[in-house]
Amino acid sequence: MRGLSKAAPSRTALFTGGAVAALAATVGLVLAGCNSASDGVRKEGQAQRDTVTRESKPSATPTMEASPVKVDAVALVKSDPKVNADLKRNLKPCVKNEYPVDVSYGKLTGASTTDVVVNVMTCGDGFGIGSYVYRKSGQDYENVFLAEQAPVYIDIEKSELRVTQQVYDSGDALCCPSGEDVIHYRWSDERFIETGRTHTDFNKTVEDDDADDDELPSDDGTEG
């Protein structure tokens, strides 16, 4: 299976035929087999000053951090007014206290403290359903990037935000997208600006050939 947890919001993926039913079934199992989550909303651009959560201790000085200050990503997402209500309601542990959330820290927005990148996924297959970037603002964090069009996954690459989304053509199964879009953004003038994109078409012929090799004829001319 080709990394279903990664995807990019800049191009709408094509979900038709069997892929539509499969995608709907997968997203319907959001997080811990709960009700469906986001319908797929993508927002980017000028950062709105919606504060999300509060740390117990503000930084004493605006100097660069020696190491990132860890945050409670689940609390951050659940208290964020920008995040889809269904996603927040269904964000529950997969096993015990383990939530389907990836968290990474890095320098994206030029702030003196590290920014927080959060990806929310389904429990079963790590299907990306929501991705967010949070920037420190005083004692709070503000949401400066949001992508809820599944399948989606974001990360940091060389101080830029990288957004990856798989592209589905007519007849594609959920496991097997036809291609992938990767889009890069750089922080400028208080928002993320697109700096470049790459599209890759997956070679399905190789996969078909591998499947045929499983049924090669034997020496006597009969199939094995």
Side-chain angles (χ1 to χ4, degrees), residues 54-58 139:
R54 182 178 297 275
E55 288 188 331
S56 58
K57 237 190 247 189
Q139 298 181 51

Side-chain angles (χ1 to χ4, degrees), residues 80-207:
D80 186 349
K82 293 183 180 180
V83 175
N84 179 274
D86 287 338
L87 187 149
K88 290 193 288 186
R89 182 169 55 254
N90 292 313
L91 181 51
K92 300 175 182 178
C94 297
V95 179
K96 295 183 179 179
N97 294 323
E98 297 180 7
Y99 285 84
V101 173
D102 272 355
V103 186
S104 57
Y105 303 84
K107 308 298 290 187
L108 282 171
T109 68
S112 60
T113 55
T114 53
D115 302 304
V116 184
V117 175
V118 180
N119 286 283
V120 180
M121 298 161 290
T122 57
C123 285
D125 53 15
F127 191 87
I129 58 175
S131 300
Y132 314 94
V133 177
Y134 293 98
R135 185 189 194 202
K136 188 73 177 296
S137 178
Q139 298 181 51
D140 304 302
Y141 282 92
E142 58 179 319
N143 184 327
V144 293
F145 186 92
L146 178 154
E148 293 178 328
Q149 181 176 298
V152 61
Y153 194 92
I154 64 176
D155 59 1
I156 301 172
E157 183 181 71
K158 297 179 179 178
S159 298
E160 289 192 341
L161 178 65
R162 179 174 62 179
V163 184
T164 309
Q165 182 168 12
Q166 293 164 347
V167 179
Y168 290 82
D169 288 339
S170 176
D172 286 348
L174 185 62
C175 68
C176 308
S178 293
E180 182 177 80
D181 285 336
V182 178
I183 307 169
H184 289 83
Y185 295 89
R186 181 185 301 121
W187 184 259
S188 178
D189 296 327
E190 296 299 300
R191 65 175 191 162
F192 283 104
I193 302 295
E194 181 178 333
T195 60
R197 63 174 60 208
T198 302
H199 174 77
T200 301
D201 287 323
F202 295 146
N203 188 350
K204 292 190 174 183
T205 303
V206 174
E207 296 176 359

Side-chain angles (χ1 to χ4, degrees), residues 23-82:
L23 177 61
T26 300
V27 178
L29 296 177
V30 168
L31 307 174
C34 304
N35 295 330
S36 61
S38 172
D39 290 331
V41 178
R42 173 180 178 265
K43 298 179 183 177
E44 58 163 304
Q46 188 68 31
Q48 299 180 18
R49 300 292 174 177
D50 290 334
T51 58
V52 179
T53 191
R54 182 178 297 275
E55 288 188 331
S56 58
K57 237 190 247 189
S59 300
T61 62
T63 57
M64 299 295 286
E65 292 176 304
S67 60
V69 176
K70 304 299 182 181
V71 302
D72 184 341
V74 174
L76 200 62
V77 170
K78 285 193 171 185
S79 62
D80 186 349
K82 293 183 180 180

